[in-house]
Amino acid sequence: MKTLTLLRHAKSGWDDPALRDFDRPLNAKGQRAAQVVGRNLKNLGLTFDRIVASPAVRVVETLEHVGRGYGAALAPEWDKRLYLASVASLIDVIQEQADNVDRLLLVGHNPGLEELVLTLVPLAADNPARADVEEKFPTASVAEMTFAIRRWADAAPNGATLSRFVRPRDLDPALGPSAD
């Protein structure tokens, strides 16, 4: 059994139009959301054998704030392929993971993460979490999927079960789309 967790970076700022997209930092709401998500990961008892993350500033800062909420620093491996990655690129990263890694966390961006969930998890009428992902994968959201496989190389479309999808607003309504 393999577990893949996806974390989309928290809400970033657009205050400085001179910044490249890659260099955009989190805004205050994103910082709060990331800490709340980190506390939730800790409360759920989630741990990771390996963390692979985009090196974009908003992802780096997301992981710093998630770590504060989690109560421990997260030590990702930075992989430029995750910056605005396509589904095909994300699947490549997943399939090349070592077989001794059972719990993998990928931290990156949309639309790739949302499309990855929709590619890996088959459409089923009895899966409301998948429908929520299809509607929107908001910033700082977490999706957890399991695969009945022994090797990451065997991870394939329609081969995962979505076990949880948690949005910041599910943890604190003040972090919902209408709140600043």
Side-chain angles (χ1 to χ4, degrees):
M1 178 75 73
K2 300 291 185 191
T3 302
L4 171 64
T5 305
L6 305 178
L7 170 62
R8 183 177 174 201
H9 67 79
K11 192 161 187 61
S12 57
W14 290 92
D15 297 340
D16 185 349
L19 280 180
R20 297 180 313 153
D21 177 73
F22 186 89
D23 296 323
R24 289 189 296 115
L26 296 185
N27 64 21
K29 182 178 177 182
Q31 293 172 5
R32 286 191 315 270
Q35 287 187 28
V36 167
V37 167
R39 279 194 299 275
N40 186 58
L41 294 175
K42 181 68 168 183
N43 291 340
L44 293 171
L46 298 185
T47 59
F48 309 102
D49 299 322
R50 186 162 190 221
I51 302 170
V52 182
S54 161
V57 169
R58 59 192 178 273
V59 173
V60 172
E61 291 184 2
T62 294
L63 284 169
E64 289 171 0
H65 288 280
V66 166
R68 288 182 191 142
Y70 190 77
L74 302 176
E77 296 179 31
W78 306 107
D79 189 330
K80 290 181 181 181
R81 294 177 296 169
L82 268 65
Y83 176 65
L84 304 179
S86 68
V87 170
S89 294
L90 292 167
I91 289 174
D92 286 346
V93 170
I94 293 164
Q95 289 178 336
E96 70 187 28
Q97 298 305 307
D99 294 336
N100 66 343
V101 171
D102 290 324
R103 301 188 58 81
L104 173 65
L105 172 63
L106 293 184
V107 189
H109 311 266
N110 252 4
L113 294 181
E114 178 178 321
E115 292 171 1
L116 180 63
V117 173
L118 299 177
T119 298
L120 295 176
V121 178
L123 185 58
D126 63 343
N127 192 339
R130 189 188 187 283
D132 288 343
V133 171
E134 193 167 0
E135 180 182 321
K136 185 174 184 182
F137 196 119
T139 53
S141 292
V142 174
E144 183 184 70
M145 294 165 280
T146 57
F147 295 85
I149 57 175
R150 291 191 177 150
R151 300 172 345 120
W152 285 108
D154 296 330
N158 296 315
T161 300
L162 183 61
S163 49
R164 79 178 85 235
F165 179 58
V166 181
R167 301 164 292 200
R169 70 176 177 220
D170 300 329
L171 305 171
D172 179 349
L175 296 171
S178 62
D180 290 322

